[in-house]
Amino acid sequence: MGTFRQHSVLPGFNLALGFTLLYLSLIVLIPISAAFVRTAELTLPEFWEVVTTPRVLASYRLTFGASFAAALLNAVFGLLVAWVLVRYSFPGKKLIDALVDLPFALPTAVAGIALTALYAGNGWIGQYLEPLGIKVAFTPTGVFVALTFIGLPFVVRTVQPVLEDLEPELEEAAATLGANRLQTFLRVIFPAIFPALVTGFALAFARAIGEYGSVIFIAGNMPMISEITPLLIITKLEQYDYAGATALAVVMLVISFVLLLIINLLQWWSRSRNSSSV
Amino acid sequence: MTAIALPLPVTSGRVRPVEESAWMRRSLIGLALAFLTLFLFVPLISVFYEALRKGWDVYIAAITEPDAVSAIQLTLTAAAIAVPLNLVFGVAAAWAVAKFEFRGKNLLVTLIDLPFSVSPVVSGLIYVLIFGLQGWLGPWLAEHDIKIIFAVPGIVLATLFVTVPFIARELIPLMQSQGAEEEEAAVVLGANGWQIFFRVTLPNIKWGLLYGVILCNARAMGEFGAVSVVSGHIRGSTNTLPLHVEILYNEYNFAAAFAVASLLALLALITLALKTIVESKTGEKPVTTGIQE
């Protein structure tokens, strides 16, 4: 114990840490390791074959492509929403600020059926798009719409606090030095919020990759066209193909771990950027 | 608004603005609101509109029929088990992490956050790999006639998994920022561990705790993917509210699906309202966004 922890007069360390580790192991760590252990029952070539069939590759392309596009759209509009909420006042601002978190609070299945109803050919939005030849529901575009919805709060909530903390003196200095508003934004404000923006983008992207509930209703789920990877895992499970489902789950787990690592690094960057500017 | 236009030392005639022009402001606000309307407000309103489209009678019937009631009960049961357990976990984890220095602390904090970065479908699958018929404990469980997968215990486990981080991640930064001086003073004055916790620590963290509980509860009641994998979709028995929505929708019973969905949307709105109230009490916005910190 000696070097494991520094001495403290407070009681309860052993109980608290012991319970934390036991609970975490039982609920999280052992179950996750089950996926890796079960996959080890496949040989490497078998594993590779399962996770690179054309249908699986098509699902990666859709999952990653739609997630990337949705996160990108959210980066642009999330920055805009954060800017408007921090800088301007307008009626209903408090309410709108609170509602930005709706995608965190609304169960994904509800979002899924609502978006599907809106974008179907006879829906509120779909009826105007259909004559233009734009189909959203039951196509890859629908996947993109659902992922945009569930990723919406991330960029707003990462950029908003950084914008709030930005010192007005910097902008005033830029203005006195002869910069116009656009130059001030591009050279002074944007560099300061850039790490937070990238972090928000990465969070929205990571969330979108694993998303299931909101997507399956609107996607149409056609193999090779509008089938996301998490759905493919379920399909394999329903066919009792446990090895196949587990192999895909391991691919998804490894991708989430890598993204988690990247996000941690980004947040470290974002924090060090902000603290050095103060 | 925040950028106050101070009278700048004017040397030449060219004073540059520190605010956008009025029309620029208006168009930025308009564009932001258009985006939020399209992707947030219209979907939210459409849930209630579709739910009530066929009238109140259909609505009431949909949420009071036996399968819906049993789904409500199961959803409440799962949350009633998952939230208290994760509350105890969150407090224990935050006590260890925030009040003590030990090796491997950063790793522990990362591991606590892990469930946020795992796809819901994978979260369900890993329990099937352990408790399912083909799973590690499957044969033993079958021998003793214990059902976990495609039964209520599996749903509770999947719900537990996806909600593990919520309360811990609110409490850890909060308790870290508060330090341990007050608790140390209580020790000196002769208080025992539980007295310290209930009389000193708990009053300091109550709003953060409540905040975590609100978010944990919303996710516990709304989880879809993880629960869907372990539930088996047995009507009136292993269906939670979100799964009931799916079944009704897939049966083209849209009015009923949206009626049940509107209950969940209402839960989301109540969650946001409570969250906003707690934020105004604490004066700041605790950061909880899916996967972060």
Side-chain angles (χ1 to χ4, degrees), chain B residues 6-284:
Chain B
L6 296 170
L8 298 167
V10 184
T11 45
S12 71
R14 301 186 318 141
V15 179
R16 297 295 191 164
V18 288
E19 269 190 342
E20 293 76 46
S21 60
W23 73 263
M24 183 72 171
R25 262 200 308 257
R26 272 198 288 275
S27 22
L28 289 177
I29 293 173
L31 197 57
L33 290 184
F35 174 74
L36 292 177
T37 304
L38 187 62
F39 279 98
L40 272 191
F41 308 143
V42 171
L44 180 63
I45 293 163
S46 78
V47 173
F48 294 101
Y49 174 82
E50 297 281 344
L52 293 169
R53 194 149 89 164
K54 299 225 169 116
W56 280 99
D57 292 345
V58 176
Y59 183 84
I60 301 291
I63 59 174
T64 51
E65 56 123 353
D67 289 342
V69 172
S70 100
I72 293 172
Q73 280 167 347
L74 181 57
T75 295
L76 293 176
T77 308
I81 298 172
V83 175
L85 280 176
N86 282 329
L87 174 69
V88 174
F89 167 76
V91 170
W95 183 265
V97 168
K99 303 291 180 192
F100 298 92
E101 289 304 321
F102 57 92
R103 266 198 281 171
K105 194 151 111 171
N106 289 336
L107 179 66
L108 180 62
V109 174
T110 307
L111 289 179
I112 290 172
D113 266 354
L114 209 53
F116 276 157
S117 53
V118 174
S119 170
V121 169
V122 177
S123 312
L125 171 75
I126 55 183
Y127 285 104
V128 176
L129 295 178
I130 294 181
F131 298 110
L133 261 184
Q134 317 253 335
W136 284 344
L137 301 178
W140 187 87
L141 290 170
E143 225 169 78
H144 292 80
D145 211 22
I146 304 169
K147 276 200 80 119
I148 291 184
I149 299 303
F150 303 148
V152 174
I155 289 173
V156 172
L157 280 171
T159 307
L160 267 179
F161 180 95
V162 295
T163 53
V164 158
F166 279 98
I167 296 169
R169 67 175 312 134
E170 287 311 323
L171 291 184
I172 289 172
L174 180 66
M175 284 167 70
Q176 273 176 331
S177 70
Q178 287 170 348
E181 282 89 3
E182 288 185 36
E183 282 83 359
E184 281 161 9
V187 170
V188 174
L189 294 170
N192 71 34
W194 296 113
Q195 285 172 326
I196 298 173
F197 176 72
F198 283 107
R199 305 241 185 113
V200 179
T201 311
L202 192 58
N204 281 335
I205 60 170
K206 60 175 189 247
W207 292 115
L209 200 68
L210 187 61
Y211 195 89
V213 166
I214 293 166
L215 296 178
C216 183
N217 180 65
R219 180 73 193 267
M221 291 190 173
E223 176 54 28
F224 178 74
V227 170
S228 161
V229 175
V230 297
S231 123
H233 301 86
I234 305 162
R235 269 188 113 128
S237 153
T238 64
N239 255 350
T240 62
L241 274 180
L243 297 177
H244 193 54
V245 170
E246 183 196 19
I247 290 195
L248 292 170
Y249 190 86
N250 287 342
E251 287 170 349
Y252 300 101
N253 193 349
F254 295 136
F258 277 100
V260 177
S262 74
L263 293 181
L264 290 165
L266 215 54
L267 169 77
L269 290 177
I270 293 170
T271 300
L272 291 183
L274 290 174
K275 185 171 158 294
T276 310
I277 293 170
V278 173
E279 277 162 10
S280 68
K281 290 276 180 199
T282 54
E284 60 179 317

Side-chain angles (χ1 to χ4, degrees), chain A residues 3-6 11 20 23 27 31 38 87-88 101 116 124 149 172 179 181 203 210 249 256 267, chain B residues 1 4 16 18 20 25 39 49 86 89 93 95 101 103 117 119 125 127 134 160-161 275 291-293:
Chain A
T3 54
F4 169 62
R5 77 167 168 115
Q6 288 173 18
T20 302
Y23 189 90
I27 302 289
R38 288 298 290 264
R87 294 290 170 114
Y88 307 146
D101 281 334
T116 311
W124 284 356
F149 175 83
E172 286 156 16
R181 205 54 198 145
L203 286 167
S256 347
Q267 281 175 336
Chain B
M1 203 182 76
I4 305 151
R16 297 295 191 164
V18 288
E20 293 76 46
R25 262 200 308 257
F39 279 98
Y49 174 82
N86 282 329
F89 167 76
W95 183 265
E101 289 304 321
R103 266 198 281 171
S117 53
S119 170
L125 171 75
Y127 285 104
Q134 317 253 335
L160 267 179
F161 180 95
K275 185 171 158 294
I291 342 155
Q292 87 171 20
E293 194 72 9

